[in-house]
Amino acid sequence: MPSPVVIILAAGRGERFRASGATTHKLDALLHGQSVLTHVIQAVKDAGLAWHLVRPEGGTHGMGESIALGVSAAPHAAGWLILPGDLPLIQPDSLRLVAEGLREKPVVVPHYRQQQGHPVAFSHDFLPQLAALTGDSGAKEIVRSARLHHQVLDLALQDGGIGHDIDTLADLALAERALSSHQWRRTMD
């Protein structure tokens, strides 16, 4: 049986990051010597999961359209982990645990200290709904409907990186301090 594929979303504008005083896109900003996006890709590689990057040239896309592009690029996967590209502190073990959660339920929603994080995972059964997404609303309605049908696994994780996204220069500085103080276990080469 095919494995789930991590869909790394990197198609947004990053307007809040630039508004905070940055001169580059948040995914290209340097964090501990590497770009934010490189940290995310490395975590996925370290987890041993297949992945697809959604970063189209010449434009930005809303969350829904980006998810649809990613899922449509890997239609034969067993499922998809939808991972925003601005979560550089996420741990490989968390990605593996979310992927494994698809064995229990067709939707997996990770949480850290009662706060929802990413990646949210969907089994292959959700291909038509995910591939039809448009705009910027993402897959919230799909998760809401799955909850009504008791199809969601709420997965508690011990990883603050599932919710520490980089939206401002202050977020980037906080992530840099966390990595420098070795708060996060993953080593950066």
Side-chain angles (χ1 to χ4, degrees):
M1 178 175 192
S3 297
V5 172
V6 180
I7 303 299
I8 303 172
L9 304 178
R13 290 183 198 92
E15 291 174 346
R16 285 185 286 174
F17 191 68
R18 288 185 199 256
S20 75
T23 58
T24 184
H25 190 282
K26 66 181 178 176
L27 299 181
D28 299 323
L30 289 182
L31 172 65
H32 216 67
Q34 297 178 343
S35 74
V36 167
L37 184 58
T38 298
H39 284 274
V40 174
I41 291 170
Q42 190 61 53
V44 175
K45 287 179 178 179
D46 290 349
L49 297 169
W51 56 281
H52 176 78
L53 178 65
V54 178
R55 194 173 201 186
E57 286 186 39
T60 59
H61 295 280
M63 177 84 71
E65 186 178 356
S66 295
I67 293 170
L69 285 170
V71 168
S72 296
H76 301 295
W80 305 272
L81 282 69
I82 309 302
L83 179 61
D86 65 349
L87 293 168
L89 301 178
I90 194 160
Q91 297 297 307
D93 285 344
S94 297
L95 295 167
R96 281 191 290 272
L97 290 169
V98 171
E100 291 168 7
L102 285 174
R103 294 184 195 145
E104 290 183 49
K105 297 274 187 165
V107 177
V108 181
V109 178
H111 296 268
Y112 174 71
R113 296 183 180 171
Q114 283 77 46
Q115 294 295 315
Q116 183 175 324
H118 286 93
V120 175
F122 299 89
S123 74
H124 190 271
D125 296 340
F126 288 91
L127 175 62
Q129 297 99 313
L130 293 168
L133 289 172
T134 59
D136 201 31
S137 62
K140 289 178 184 174
E141 288 304 316
I142 297 171
V143 173
R144 191 179 338 257
S145 176
R147 269 196 201 290
L148 293 174
H149 295 94
H150 307 287
Q151 296 177 309
V152 176
L153 171 64
D154 286 301
L155 182 64
L157 296 174
Q158 297 302 312
D159 178 5
I162 68 169
H164 185 90
D165 56 344
I166 305 298
D167 286 329
T168 65
L169 284 173
D171 295 335
L172 186 67
L174 183 62
E176 185 69 45
R177 283 194 302 274
L179 289 173
S180 295
S181 70
H182 304 292
Q183 254 178 282
W184 263 256
R185 293 180 304 270
R186 186 166 33 105
T187 59
M188 301 296 158
D189 297 325

